[in-house]
Amino acid sequence: MRRAATALLTALDEPARAAATHAFDDDRRRWLEYRPRPRPGVCLADLDVAGRKAAHRLLATALSPAAYAQAMTVVALEEVLDRAEGWRRGRHSGDYWVAVFGDPARDDRWTWRFEGHHLSVTMTVADDQVSPAPVFLGANPATVRHAGRPVSRPLGVEEDLARELLAAIGPAGRAAAIVADEAPADIISATRPSVAAPLTPLGVPAGRLGPTGRALLDQLVALYLDRLPAELATKEADRLAGAERHFAWAGSTRPGGRHYYRVQGDDLLIEYDNTTDDGNHAHTVLRRPASDFGADVLAAHHADAHR
């Protein structure tokens, strides 16, 4: 990440570098915005090919190959959505921004973010330890179909695995897991820089599930952790090992209906919703409520510096 971020800043001309770089203590470092809004950083549409490729290489350091493919599909969907809206809003696949807080070449602590509509990835580094959250991926349209078959469904596995879990836990498990008949309008954590965890109701605890249900819940958590590169995903899995987890569902259990689910554990929040545009507009996020935006690695850095 340090090499890729330094290479990005080197590839930018002076105006673009000035737009991309911010002080580490800038309040906008703790920022999550997945709607099409202005945001700090430099826009990829304003960069030359070398600059855009450097930004994508930086993003690739934070995502597994599969998650990077999902992210690129999310970016491409901006053109699909713009066509569906009759080209009225001028959406485009270059409307993504990269920002660096601090100096990756010199500082012990620094942050970078790649963000635009339906994509927000923030990585915070302190003493070369990476705190990898939040990671947001959305899709509109969530599914593009032709002749009744999906031709694009970038977040399909996130939906299908949760439905498989819901089906496997039986009537008693579903009664505990389904916390509302109506799904919320969006993920509950939304764009807030901090989340007051846990979100309630908690839903069904993993300890009340049978072996199949527990295995599927573990697979669902692993699916979100595996958005990260293997080394980071393994560290996150080790960090979360042994903690109780809860699974909650809200809304329709019928495919195509508006629905929402979340998984919570010790410093873990996974949220998914598909509630707008008649259940064809999905949001997903992986967060660490107690240590989003590097709170954990920064606390360790400060403790070491003032020991």
Side-chain angles (χ1 to χ4, degrees):
M1 286 183 185
R2 191 181 291 276
R3 287 194 302 269
T6 302
L8 167 66
L9 297 180
T10 302
L12 303 182
D13 60 24
E14 187 54 41
R17 191 179 306 114
T21 54
H22 306 272
F24 183 80
D25 294 330
D26 190 312
D27 290 340
R28 295 171 298 176
R29 185 182 68 80
R30 294 179 57 86
W31 169 290
L32 170 62
E33 179 56 86
Y34 48 83
R35 298 166 293 183
R37 304 281 174 89
R39 60 194 82 239
V42 64
C43 183
L44 268 64
D46 296 331
L47 303 181
D48 60 15
V49 172
R52 289 195 297 273
K53 289 303 297 183
H56 281 287
R57 290 188 186 104
L58 177 58
L59 175 63
T61 67
L63 299 176
S64 66
Y68 184 75
Q70 287 179 302
M72 292 301 97
T73 306
V74 168
V75 169
L77 280 176
E78 285 299 279
E79 306 293 352
V80 177
L81 181 58
D82 198 38
R83 175 179 179 170
E85 294 174 337
W87 318 106
R88 293 188 304 273
R89 298 188 62 175
R91 301 181 192 269
H92 61 92
S93 55
D95 198 17
Y96 289 81
W97 304 67
V98 62
V100 179
F101 297 83
D103 185 345
R106 296 180 177 85
D107 294 347
D108 291 331
R109 53 177 199 161
W110 59 284
T111 291
W112 65 270
R113 180 170 61 245
F114 189 109
E115 187 178 74
H117 189 209
H118 284 152
L119 177 62
S120 183
V121 175
T122 296
M123 297 283 135
T124 303
V125 183
D127 304 318
D128 287 334
Q129 297 299 309
V130 180
S131 185
V135 174
F136 178 98
L137 293 173
N140 184 15
T143 304
V144 178
R145 297 182 181 276
H146 175 69
R149 299 178 183 275
V151 296
S152 172
R153 194 170 174 242
L155 299 173
V157 179
E158 285 81 350
E159 176 180 349
D160 294 346
L161 189 54
R163 288 191 181 281
E164 189 177 348
L165 168 60
L166 195 65
I169 60 179
R174 284 192 293 275
I178 298 174
V179 297
D181 293 332
E182 295 292 329
D186 198 352
I187 55 175
I188 305 300
S189 58
T191 60
R192 290 190 290 273
S194 61
V195 183
L199 305 180
T200 55
L202 289 172
V204 63
R208 284 184 52 186
L209 304 179
T212 300
R214 288 195 298 273
L216 286 168
L217 181 56
D218 288 344
Q219 289 179 39
L220 186 60
V221 172
L223 175 66
Y224 282 85
L225 297 185
D226 284 345
R227 290 180 169 181
L228 305 171
E231 182 181 354
L232 287 178
T234 298
K235 287 182 66 175
E236 285 297 282
D238 291 344
R239 186 179 70 88
L240 299 168
E244 181 65 288
R245 294 168 181 164
H246 290 78
F247 173 71
W249 180 284
S252 174
T253 60
R254 174 183 56 83
R258 294 180 173 90
H259 59 287
Y260 162 95
Y261 70 78
R262 62 175 172 255
V263 180
Q264 296 185 90
D266 185 17
D267 200 21
L268 170 70
L269 173 62
I270 292 167
E271 287 191 278
Y272 168 104
D273 83 78
N274 194 337
T275 57
T276 56
D277 299 312
D278 295 321
N280 196 27
H281 181 162
H283 293 163
T284 69
V285 72
L286 170 66
R287 298 195 67 162
R288 303 161 108 208
S291 53
D292 268 343
F293 302 101
D296 56 335
V297 293
L298 294 174
H301 171 82
H302 289 308
D304 184 66
H306 296 93
R307 185 167 52 195

